[in-house]
Amino acid sequence: MTDYGIARRRMVEEQLVARGIRNERIIEAFLTVPRHLFLDPAVRSRAYDGCSFPIGYNQTISQPFIQAAMMQHLDIKSTDRVLEIGTGSGYQTAILSLIAREVCSIERIEALSAAAEAVLTEIPTGRIRLKAGDGSAGWPYYSPFDKIIVSAATNERPGELLAQLAENGCLIAPVQDIEEQLVLYRRRGEEIEEQKLSRCSFVPLLKGVG
Ligand code: SAH
C-alpha cells in the first residue's frame, strides 16, 4: 500500500518549498489535504508526483505548484472570503478553505461540481459553498470578495469578476493575450491595478454551462 502521508510531505518539500512557496499556512494546507482522494483511482498512486491529471470532461486538476503560487500571490488571510472559478476536482477548494474564512466556488460542469462535493463532504475542510454554473459572472449574492482565483484561462479582462472585489481585494487569473500569462489585479477605490506575472497554461474558461 502506498504511504500517502510520506509522498505528500515529499511533494510539499520538492515541488512547493524548493520552488519558492514560503507561506506557512499554504504549506500546512498542502500537507493536510489528501490530493489522492480527488483523483481517479487509476492514477492515485501518482497523486503526489506534482503533475496535473485528467479529471474527466476534458478538464484537468492543475499542478500543485501553480495552485500554491497563485495563492501565495493573493496573500490570502484567515479572515478573507474567497471566490474560486473552476472548482474542477475540488482539491484547490479544500486547500483554500483551510487558509481563508470562507470559499465560494463555481464550476460550469455540473457532474464535476457534484463529484467535488462528494469528496469535500468526506474530509475535514473549512467553510465551502459550491455552485454549478457559469463562473464568469461571479457570484454577486455573496460579493464582495477579498480574493478571487480563476483556474481557467480567459482571453478578456475578467470585468464582471473585478466588479465583485472588495476594496484592496485581489484577483489572479491566467489571461490569454499574445501569450498566456498569470495576471494579478488589485482594486484601489475605482481603479484596478494590473501586474503581469509568469507565463502559464490552463484549460480555457468557457461561457455557459456544460
Ligand atoms: N482547480 C481545479 C482544476 C481546475 S480546471 C482542481 O483543483 O481540480 C478548470 C475548471 O474550470 C474546469 O473544471 C472547467 O470545467 C472549469 N470552468 C471553465 N470555464 C468555467 C466557467 N465559465 N465557470 C466555471 N467553471 C469553469
Side-chain angles (χ1 to χ4, degrees), residues 11 15-16 19 35 46-53 62-66:
M11 176 189 86
Q15 303 289 329
L16 307 188
R19 294 169 72 188
R35 189 175 195 244
R46 292 187 285 135
Y48 299 100
D49 285 2
C51 49
S52 63
F53 288 103
S62 313
Q63 289 180 18
F65 171 70
I66 189 79

Side-chain angles (χ1 to χ4, degrees), residues 73 171-172 182-186 193-198:
H73 282 300
L171 178 154
I172 194 164
L182 283 178
V183 180
L184 182 66
Y185 302 88
R186 179 184 296 272
E193 290 174 5
E194 185 178 324
Q195 186 188 355
K196 294 199 163 90
L197 306 168
S198 52

Side-chain angles (χ1 to χ4, degrees), residues 123-134:
I123 60 168
T125 67
R127 196 175 163 81
I128 295 172
R129 295 179 203 274
L130 298 179
K131 174 166 115 166
D134 182 358

Side-chain angles (χ1 to χ4, degrees), residues 26 139 148 163:
I26 294 177
W139 202 339
I148 301 179

Side-chain angles (χ1 to χ4, degrees), residues 38 55-62 67 84-93 106-109 112 131 133-137 151-153 202-208:
F38 293 86
I55 54 172
Y57 308 90
N58 267 333
Q59 305 304 324
T60 53
I61 178 171
S62 313
Q67 297 180 324
E84 176 188 46
I85 309 301
T87 315
S89 67
Y91 173 63
Q92 177 173 279
T93 318
I106 309 176
E107 167 57 51
R108 66 179 284 277
I109 299 172
L112 282 179
K131 174 166 115 166
D134 182 358
S136 45
S151 296
F202 280 77
V203 296
L205 186 79
L206 301 172
K207 299 277 177 175

Side-chain angles (χ1 to χ4, degrees), residues 136-152:
S136 45
W139 202 339
Y141 185 84
Y142 290 113
S143 71
F145 298 97
D146 302 295
K147 307 285 157 68
I148 301 179
I149 185 163
V150 184
S151 296

